[in-house]
Amino acid sequence: EFPGLLGHGEGVLQLKTPTCLPSPSGGERAIGVAASQYFSLALTADGALWSWGSGGQGELGHGDRESRWQPKKIDAFASQCVVTVSASFRHSLAITADGAVWSWGGGGQEKLGHANEEFQLLPKKVLALASQRVVAVSVGGEHSLAITADSAVFTWGEGERGCLGHGEDLSNQLLPK
């Protein structure tokens, strides 16, 4: 139903045993992965980030809404070194070596941290965190979180059910707070 989830090429919709992905460009060593129900990400030792699966809301980070049957490098990070990544439902966050946070994908509930609900087809730096050195990120279905080097926790996106941790304030947060 969702093309490319397994990353093994067109038409491969099910594998009954764990199967190594073919390396698209010369044997990069994977050091991290993240997965949602619609797409997957792999981080390689050289700081490159690869994506595959459904791209309907730009969650693959390639500047379009196309799906990919096999891993493709996210070119927007060509001059960056990605150190960690998190994926959920229809959006992702990445941290680069300089401690910057980047987001892309579906922007509903303000979960990308760019003060709007627009799709972000390419990774975009979360400017509200530019003065912070972020060391960890995590994404939920409709919200995002970041921890800074000085142990501060920032959250943004959908506030319903208290998932942002802002006490009685259950409103959506456009920007990290």
Side-chain angles (χ1 to χ4, degrees):
E1 186 176 326
F2 297 103
L5 286 179
L6 299 177
H8 287 274
E10 190 168 349
V12 180
L13 302 176
Q14 180 180 13
L15 294 169
K16 295 184 183 210
T17 59
T19 307
C20 188
L21 278 171
S23 178
S25 135
E28 298 83 2
R29 188 171 63 88
I31 60 168
V33 292
S36 87
Q37 67 191 81
Y38 297 113
F39 66 98
S40 299
L41 303 169
L43 176 61
T44 55
D46 62 355
L49 190 60
W50 300 74
S51 66
W52 63 95
S54 176
Q57 293 186 13
E59 55 268 59
L60 299 184
H62 298 296
D64 58 33
R65 296 172 68 175
E66 300 296 318
S67 296
R68 302 291 191 285
W69 285 92
Q70 291 183 305
K72 179 179 175 168
K73 189 183 287 190
I74 299 177
D75 293 331
F77 287 118
S79 64
Q80 302 287 329
C81 179
V82 178
V83 296
T84 192
V85 67
S86 182
S88 180
F89 192 53
R90 291 287 193 183
H91 79 293
S92 297
L93 295 178
I95 301 174
T96 49
D98 60 357
V101 176
W102 300 73
S103 67
W104 65 98
Q109 278 64 45
E110 299 89 23
K111 63 185 171 263
L112 298 181
H114 303 300
N116 61 48
E117 292 191 358
E118 297 173 10
F119 291 167
Q120 192 60 51
L121 303 180
L122 291 167
K124 180 177 179 181
K125 192 180 288 191
V126 179
L127 297 178
L129 293 171
S131 65
Q132 305 291 326
R133 179 160 183 78
V134 175
V135 297
V137 291
S138 185
V139 293
E142 300 293 344
H143 68 292
S144 302
L145 303 95
I147 300 175
T148 64
D150 62 357
S151 301
V153 177
F154 289 83
T155 62
W156 62 99
E158 183 178 39
E160 191 175 308
R161 296 176 302 279
C163 61
L164 298 181
H166 297 164
E168 299 294 320
D169 181 1
L170 302 180
S171 63
N172 292 356
Q173 295 297 317
L174 287 168
L175 297 169
K177 175 180 172 182

